[in-house]
Amino acid sequence: MTNQPQETIDTLLSEERSFAPPAEFQAQANAQSAEIYTQAEQDWQGWWASWAEQLQWDKKWEQVLDWQAPYAKWFVGGKLNASVQCLDRHVQAGLGNRVAFYFEGEPGDQRTLSYAEMLEGVCQVANGLKSLGVGKGDRVTLYMPMVPELAMTVLACARIGAIFSVVFAGFSPTSLKDRIQDQSAKLVVCADGCWRRGKVLDLKSVVQQAVKECTSVEKVLLWSRGQGLRSESAPIPQEVAWEDVVGPQPTTCPPESMDAEDPLFILYTSGTTGKPKGIVHTTGGYLTGALATSKLVFDLKPETDVYWCTADIGWITGHSYIVFGPMANGVSQVMYEGAPNHPAPDRFWQLVETYRVSVFYTAPTAIRAFMKWGDEHPSKHDLSSLRLLGTVGEPINPEAWMWYQKQIGGERCPIVDTWWQTETGGIMITPLPGITATVPGSATTPFPGIETKLLREDGSEVEGAGGGYLVLTRPWPSMLRGIWGDAKRYEETYWSRFPGKYFAGDGAKRDAHGNLWILGRVDDVMNVSGHRLSTMEIESSLVAHPAVAEAAVIGIAHELKGQAPVGFVILRGGYDQTQQLAEELRQFVATEIGGLARPENIIFTPELPKTRSGKIMRRLLRDVAEGKAVGDVTTLADPTVLQGLQKEYEDKEKC
Ligand code: WT7
């Protein structure tokens, strides 16, 4: 059912190490007693409403939930503004001087922004957006690095009711163009460049190429990272400068009162087809989920904590657990622009020490890299400020978990392994650090109010210990409301496999203690360094190259990335199977989609294993690529294809 070999699953499930919350942690935790699970169970709608009440509403809702499966409306009739939750209410409460962000650029430049300064900045950007003709319901695409101006622009869009869509600044011009076109964005906000591993990444030229074919884009608002990056490239025809548009604006701007169900943002993620899905999140429910989960999972103490989530705002983790959740809670955060190993592999730990970070949230792929770089890097630094650690994005192998606990957490910090998705908007399965006994490698149990089930192929429920398809059986406030411009795809992708239940696309197992173990995707989606990529997307990219007749892509196990794409390629006549062409194809995919999608390997083959009905058997390709004994081949049209492939792959491995 999953990509994981049976032995790995068995070892995972024989995990008997378990860590109860340390007594001191429990005594101060925001959630201390398992009773909240019972309460939330008895009245889950009431539970969520109690969190919504902690937001500042312009008008209270009339109904908590209107559920016409699979369409949910939360806090019906309520009105609020998302930026007010993150800024105005803290400033009004006299907390304007609290630090919102400690920003550090890769070259070492530092800026500290208080909540009051963020509010002023957001209002200026909001006024600037209005001056460019952007208003409620308009779409704005953001293509920016990790700088405070990105968070400001997100909140400025929210302030005026424009629907923002952040595109991770590692995506290619084509990927950016596709997203701008899909949402008919009126405005693109971008930066000229950013720093990564000591080099300047030229973001402006990516935008320049992308907007050439985007007729909807009226203006491109360009923020300069500084250091004279701007002067190097020619202007984009629609370009206007941040300092001209935003600079002169007043520092107040009345927030637009939005309906709880008005869209807040669109965020694209890969599905099983070649075309990414624009996941739509709305205002009231999304914020309720972000507020509640941040407060309980990260145990946020806004007066004293310094929280650092190392994700990029271009992914859902950054939306929910940098911008909206932590800011709605009013906590101080660290934001870092660059690479974890620049100028040296201890950069993160140096930042933890400098800013006295207390809550740290990162991804397994990063933890594996830290392990590989060596214990001496964290050991050099005083990490005693840390009190809680988190992980997200992919299953964490127990050894990496144990390393994280020891080398980073000093065996004193609980670890929250949080399972969720772009679509769920917020954390769904996770320990609560003052309550749950954690187990290395397990995301443990659903967040209060969330109900999960494991289902068999036929839809029957797996009760007790056992494995199955992971589904969510109730609506939750921060759930996606649909796919931008494609209602049918929403119903088909998430709600048709098991009618009336949300199918996440993951397989999972429940152990004898009731803890859940996420086993990975069960569809043609792979998880590369915690990011989702579809095999189809990479295949379409490969076949767009003139040399390629046919391609099949699979995700293979990778030591650092979790999974990595490998492409099996049939060439057109007249092209030779050279190392140089393989390299060109890898680069071609990176240019077409983004560096993340670059195949680890390209295997040339005269044939692909197919079923009699012509479907490529990716499972077999995976076995070949992972050097495993090949599974059941009885449905294969031509079994000899595989032997050829295996040889091809082994030869490739040797050289
Ligand atoms: C997929 C969602 C949620 C933000 C980052 C990724 C995998 C996520 C875990 C975890 C095991 C995990 C799942 C999920 N995943 N967190 N703690 N343990 N797997 O967001 O790109 O929407 O991907 O990431 O496969 O379906 P995304």
Side-chain angles (χ1 to χ4, degrees), residues 317 393-395 417-422 506 518 521 527 532:
T317 308
E394 53 178 312
D417 175 357
T418 60
W419 176 88
W420 58 295
Q421 308 180 296
T422 304
D506 282 320
I518 311 298
R521 305 289 307 189
N527 188 324
R532 234 195 276 182

Side-chain angles (χ1 to χ4, degrees), residues 265-340:
F265 66 87
I266 305 169
L267 182 60
Y268 289 84
T269 188
S270 296
T272 47
T273 72
K275 191 177 178 298
K277 306 173 279 196
I279 303 300
V280 178
H281 282 286
T282 59
T283 309
Y286 174 77
L287 276 155
T288 302
L291 178 84
T293 50
S294 303
K295 179 146 189 182
L296 298 189
V297 177
F298 301 119
D299 193 50
L300 294 182
K301 303 286 191 298
E303 308 76 37
T304 47
D305 271 324
V306 177
Y307 165 89
W308 182 19
C309 165
T310 68
D312 190 288
I313 295 178
W315 311 111
I316 190 68
T317 308
H319 285 58
S320 302
Y321 298 111
I322 296 175
V323 182
F324 291 102
M327 292 192 77
N329 277 287
V331 74
S332 301
Q333 306 189 54
V334 168
M335 181 189 276
Y336 170 59
E337 173 188 30

Side-chain angles (χ1 to χ4, degrees), residues 57 60 67 115 123 164 192 195 225 228 235 271 304 374 528 591:
W57 295 80
K60 200 178 165 175
W67 177 229
Y115 272 91
C123 288
F164 64 86
D192 50 0
W195 292 94
R225 174 69 180 93
T304 47
V528 178
T591 315

